[in-house]
Amino acid sequence: MNIVLLGSGNVATHLGRALVDAGHRITQVYSPTQAHAMVLADAVNARAIDDLAVVEPNADVYVIAVKDDAIAQVAAQLPPSSNGIVVHTAGSVAMEVFAGHAERYGVVYPVQTFSKAKAVDFSAVPVAVEASDPATYTALARLGESLSTRVFPCDSGQRLSLHVAAVFACNFANHLYAIGAGILREHGLDFGLIRPLILETAEKVMMHEPEDVQTGPAVRNDIGTMQRHLALLDGQPDLAELYRKLSERIGRQSALKT
Amino acid sequence: MNIVLLGSGNVATHLGRALVDAGHRITQVYSPTQAHAMVLADAVNARAIDDLAVVEPNADVYVIAVKDDAIAQVAAQLPPSSNGIVVHTAGSVAMEVFAGHAERYGVVYPVQTFSKAKAVDFSAVPVAVEASDPATYTALARLGESLSTRVFPCDSGQRLSLHVAAVFACNFANHLYAIGAGILREHGLDFGLIRPLILETAEKVMMHEPEDVQTGPAVRNDIGTMQRHLALLDGQPDLAELYRKLSERIGRQSALKT
């Protein structure tokens, strides 16, 4: 497929590379900042543009991978003569953002976290697809299947819930790692000491449900240990409150199970 | 070394197996429930006992791997004629719990999460060691080094902070996975959809500091997305509050960095 890629951030970069690796041709990379467009365009052998007025009208697919709040605005400026499918890649933006801006449209949402710092094996990434009509769904599913073995249909409501679940299990989990790192730093200890624990915790839920492998003082209702932990957090009321809330939730969940 | 293992839970089980694999001899496994003692005793080729009065006095080390609040009580009932080193394996119990109960004592704290469901490679587990005196430290460090390549000295205060950090980064992270699983379940989606994301998030901090690889709407200050997420959580004020608090913390941390 001939693809125009609109965006130059983490999702655009990882997706662009994966599309080229899958044999698609990226003709243009758009960013309002020409230098950003050029970095990605070079990597995917495309032309860099910083003006939506020069987007070519003959692409098969226009992939909009920009900040959520900018999607509608980019879509509104695409060439009106085009018959290409307009898609975005966002978890939390309803497909109907495109209604009135394109004939054929949809969403291709890769359920993964992308950082410039780390390559990702796209073939294992679940890809949620939604489309304006069955023929467009077929085309987008085929595009998704050229990248990943795990393409599935997902409407806008489900996709939003998927994104919220991902924020808890990924973005917020990373913040808990950062809290751990901060506590260790305060006590002269290295974050590396809990790295094996972090990896083990994630690996454990690859085969199990998280509720079934919960460990720690809260699930044991080990009040003495929790009190000692809260004493350590005494000068940090914000962290102490978070500790209490999460422990209470774990305790309630554990009580429901037994 | 000849070792008496007091306890039959997850830590006792994983540690017991690792000790045997490292060539130590476990002579007795104690649990107040004889059936529990027998399961582990069989696995490590030891004698099961359910009465502290029959603990043998000639072991080199007595490893107390029981609930934190029961450690002192078990220590108080060990044979008074013994010269063996008495250790516990807990993150949050000060070494001085043994003062008055033994001549030589210490702590061997493996910084890892153990579940019956999953084997753990002990050689990569950081092991925090503390001891009543230098000679005992040397003996316990040697014991630790027979299990792991990552033995380090750690006093009771540091160990407590390490345990609190581990609770945030591991126990609480697992609870966030459970929250994600619950949200997906409510919307007819499978937890498997976010498994690659969970693993990627953990793998990313194996090489990076968590603060440097934070992703998601909060770090981008993407208010529109956060509002859509909060709308989805509308019927669950507890989760909405957690979402808000964690997003605020990520936003503050991000603002401090820039």
Side-chain angles (χ1 to χ4, degrees), chain A residues 131-146:
Chain A
S132 53
D133 58 274
T136 301
Y137 181 84
T138 303
L140 292 181
R142 196 170 301 149
L143 181 69
E145 283 158 7
S146 71

Side-chain angles (χ1 to χ4, degrees), chain A:
Chain A
M1 283 182 163
N2 286 326
I3 296 167
V4 171
L5 187 52
L6 301 118
S8 61
N10 287 333
V11 175
T13 299
H14 282 86
L15 188 58
R17 285 192 191 135
L19 287 166
V20 168
D21 288 348
H24 301 288
R25 186 166 156 246
I26 297 180
T27 56
Q28 297 177 315
V29 171
Y30 162 79
S31 164
T33 310
Q34 178 73 6
H36 295 171
M38 282 178 72
V39 171
L40 180 52
D42 278 358
V44 299
N45 202 21
R47 194 154 73 88
I49 59 173
D50 65 357
D51 181 0
L52 288 168
V54 301
V55 169
E56 60 127 333
N58 300 319
D60 298 310
V61 183
Y62 298 83
V63 175
I64 304 180
V66 300
K67 273 198 176 187
D68 290 8
D69 298 343
I71 292 170
Q73 184 191 333
V74 170
Q77 296 177 70
L78 292 179
S81 63
S82 172
N83 283 320
I85 304 171
V86 179
V87 308
H88 73 68
T89 59
S92 299
V93 177
M95 180 178 69
E96 294 309 322
V97 69
F98 293 135
H101 295 311
E103 279 292 304
R104 305 176 67 195
Y105 51 86
V107 179
V108 174
Y109 169 51
V111 189
Q112 187 50 286
T113 173
F114 300 104
S115 299
K116 292 235 157 79
K118 189 168 179 307
V120 162
D121 171 17
F122 226 99
S123 68
V125 175
V127 176
V129 173
E130 184 178 13
S132 53
D133 58 274
T136 301
Y137 181 84
T138 303
L140 292 181
R142 196 170 301 149
L143 181 69
E145 283 158 7
S146 71
L147 303 176
S148 162
T149 57
R150 301 179 63 183
V151 175
F152 63 102
C154 183
D155 68 31
S156 291
Q158 284 181 313
R159 184 158 34 80
L160 180 63
S161 72
L162 187 48
H163 197 209
V164 175
V167 166
F168 275 100
C170 158
N171 304 147
F172 290 167
N174 186 76
H175 181 63
L176 296 185
Y177 304 160
I179 290 174
I183 292 168
L184 291 174
R185 208 179 295 127
E186 276 167 36
H187 293 83
L189 294 169
D190 189 74
F191 177 61
L193 292 174
I194 61 171
R195 281 195 167 116
L197 189 58
I198 286 172
L199 193 59
E200 174 70 14
T201 303
E203 285 180 345
K204 214 179 272 188
V205 298
M206 294 303 107
M207 299 293 288
H208 300 276
E209 298 297 309
E211 295 89 339
D212 295 339
V213 291
Q214 183 68 55
T215 57
V219 75
R220 294 195 304 267
N221 194 28
D222 183 344
I223 292 166
T225 297
M226 290 190 277
Q227 282 171 345
R228 285 188 288 274
H229 289 180
L230 285 166
L232 183 102
L233 298 172
D234 197 29
Q236 299 167 90
D238 194 45
L239 279 188
E241 192 199 342
L242 193 55
Y243 185 100
R244 256 185 232 104
K245 290 227 167 280
L246 289 166
S247 295
E248 280 164 18
R249 287 189 52 91
I250 291 171
R252 281 204 304 276
Q253 187 182 63
S254 159
L256 284 175
K257 278 192 67 178
T258 53

Side-chain angles (χ1 to χ4, degrees), chain A residues 197-210 212-216, chain B residues 10 14 112-120 170-171 174 177 191 195 198-199:
Chain A
L197 189 58
I198 286 172
L199 193 59
E200 174 70 14
T201 303
E203 285 180 345
K204 214 179 272 188
V205 298
M206 294 303 107
M207 299 293 288
H208 300 276
E209 298 297 309
D212 295 339
V213 291
Q214 183 68 55
T215 57
Chain B
N10 288 333
H14 282 87
Q112 187 51 286
T113 173
F114 300 104
S115 299
K116 292 237 157 79
K118 191 170 179 303
V120 162
C170 158
N171 303 148
N174 186 75
Y177 304 160
F191 177 61
R195 281 194 167 119
I198 285 171
L199 194 59

Side-chain angles (χ1 to χ4, degrees), chain B residues 155-228:
Chain B
D155 68 31
S156 291
Q158 284 182 313
R159 183 157 36 81
L160 180 63
S161 73
L162 187 49
H163 197 211
V164 174
V167 166
F168 275 99
C170 158
N171 303 148
F172 290 167
N174 186 75
H175 181 63
L176 296 185
Y177 304 160
I179 290 174
I183 293 169
L184 292 173
R185 207 180 293 126
E186 276 166 35
H187 293 85
L189 294 169
D190 189 74
F191 177 61
L193 292 174
I194 60 170
R195 281 194 167 119
L197 189 58
I198 285 171
L199 194 59
E200 174 69 14
T201 303
E203 284 179 347
K204 213 178 273 187
V205 298
M206 295 303 107
M207 299 293 287
H208 300 277
E209 297 298 308
E211 295 89 340
D212 296 337
V213 291
Q214 183 67 55
T215 57
V219 75
R220 293 194 305 268
N221 196 27
D222 182 344
I223 292 165
T225 297
M226 290 190 276
Q227 282 170 346
R228 285 187 288 274

